[in-house]
Amino acid sequence: KPHPLPLLHAAQVMDVSPQQCVYVGDDARDIAAARAADMRSVVALWGYRLPDDDPALWGGDVSVQQVRQLLQPDAWP
């Protein structure tokens, strides 16, 4: 990452277009990879992150605090 090839390969294996995918990540590289693959992105606000790293600056489509929010598609972009 942020190279989009792994994301595009996953979409191809699942036989869906990248535009039908949502990529969840806990790092700016994940969001950059989603953007490069033309996928929507969800910023996961958990996981390892340096104290001065601000997820609001990553440019994700939406941010979620908890895993269970991923099951609420109305919160997705």
Side-chain angles (χ1 to χ4, degrees):
K1 293 179 277 188
H3 198 283
L5 187 59
L7 282 68
L8 295 171
H9 176 72
Q12 183 180 25
V13 167
M14 294 185 300
D15 196 28
V16 296
S17 72
Q19 297 80 19
Q20 293 173 290
C21 297
V22 176
Y23 190 69
V24 179
D26 65 354
D27 190 274
R29 292 177 302 230
D30 298 323
I31 305 310
R35 193 175 304 114
D38 199 24
M39 293 181 180
R40 293 172 289 170
S41 61
V42 175
V43 175
L45 296 174
W46 60 87
Y48 176 77
R49 193 168 53 247
L50 297 173
D52 61 341
D53 195 6
D54 185 0
L57 301 176
W58 299 349
D61 294 306
V62 69
S63 298
V64 295
Q65 293 278 351
Q66 300 173 354
V67 174
R68 70 175 164 219
Q69 290 176 286
L70 296 173
L71 300 175
Q72 301 169 342
D74 59 321
W76 293 5

